[in-house]
Every structure is written in structure tokens, then in C-alpha cells.
Amino acid sequence: MIKDVNHIGVAVKSIETALPFYTETLGLTFEAVENVESQRVRVAFIKAGNCKIELLEPTSPDSPVAKFIEKRGEGIHHVALSVDNIEDRIQEMIEKGIPMIDSTSRKGAGGANIAFMHPKASNGVLVEFCEKAAKQHDN
């Protein structure tokens, strides 16, 4: 079951350059930065009401986020939906014929278990399922 929108991932070239817009201009609260080595990305967590914004800065030119920026420019990268039992949600999508990038979950930012649906299934939007781990940033 999908519970809510967990976060919106925004691809940026530089967290330091992008962050003031969210914190100073919009008045949102910066929480933390985390390196996610497996995705070759730095993630800044910004509280935005009952949702988060994650600024995604590539740490390598061959990271998925770097390739996204090269192809499409900076901007919304994905929408993450909170789920319970992510493995069941993945299987449910596969059974419905929905193409998944991840056929099993993997660790993401904040220790969450994540899995991505292929954007061709959702009109070009990269959708992430996100199952929170215990004691994390509410990611």
C-alpha cells in the first residue's frame, strides 16, 4: 500500500549553490547531508512540511544523477512514495507488468530500502518506492 509522498529528488550540480534557494528564499529547514557511495551522490535533506526535498549532487561523472543532468539539466529527478513491505510492492508491480529498474530493494539515503520503477511505466516520471528504516531522517 502506498502511504504518501516521501520526498522529491532534485538533481543539482552543486548542493552549496542550490541550497540557499530552499533555505533562504523559501525558508525551508536544512537537516543534513549524506554521501550515498552506492549511487555516487551526495544528498541534502530539506524538510518541506510533511514531505522532504532531497538535493542530489553527483560525486562521479558516471553516476545516474550526473547522466541525468547531462541529458536533461538540473531539476526534478524523481518522486518517492512511502510504502510498507517494499518487496511486496515490487512484486505487485512486476505482476501488473510494470517495468522495474530494481527487481529487489537496495539501500538508499537515510538507510531506507528503495526501488525504482522504470519511467516508461509512468509517463516519463521516475518513481521510487521507499520503505523507511528504523531510526533515520524520515527518508
Side-chain angles (χ1 to χ4, degrees), residues 4-20:
D4 57 20
V5 174
N6 181 277
H7 67 269
I8 298 168
V10 179
V12 299
K13 293 178 183 176
S14 165
I15 288 172
E16 287 73 23
T17 301
L19 192 59

Side-chain angles (χ1 to χ4, degrees), residues 18-131:
L19 192 59
F21 171 76
Y22 295 93
T23 58
E24 296 169 20
T25 304
L26 298 180
L28 300 176
T29 304
F30 166 74
E31 293 186 332
V33 173
E34 176 183 338
N35 282 321
V36 182
E37 296 294 331
S38 63
Q39 293 298 305
R40 299 175 307 280
V41 71
R42 285 179 63 220
V43 181
F45 300 95
I46 302 166
K47 185 170 177 52
N50 62 351
C51 183
K52 296 215 188 267
I53 295 172
E54 291 184 359
L55 300 182
L56 310 167
E57 176 189 284
T59 58
S60 170
D62 67 341
S63 76
V65 173
K67 291 177 183 177
F68 176 91
I69 292 171
E70 183 179 308
K71 183 176 180 180
R72 296 186 176 186
E74 294 178 293
I76 293 177
H77 180 263
H78 67 272
V79 175
L81 304 173
S82 294
V83 298
D84 286 325
N85 200 331
I86 193 168
E87 299 302 334
D88 285 353
R89 296 297 71 75
I90 294 167
Q91 279 310 117
E92 178 185 357
M93 293 302 108
I94 291 170
E95 289 168 11
K96 289 180 176 183
I98 301 299
M100 297 292 295
I101 292 172
D102 300 299
S103 59
T104 60
S105 67
R106 55 191 160 110
K107 288 293 180 202
N113 290 319
I114 64 168
F116 286 93
M117 183 183 301
H118 198 284
K120 69 182 173 186
S122 52
N123 302 90
V125 176
L126 183 60
V127 175
E128 175 186 9
F129 290 146
C130 181
E131 182 178 27

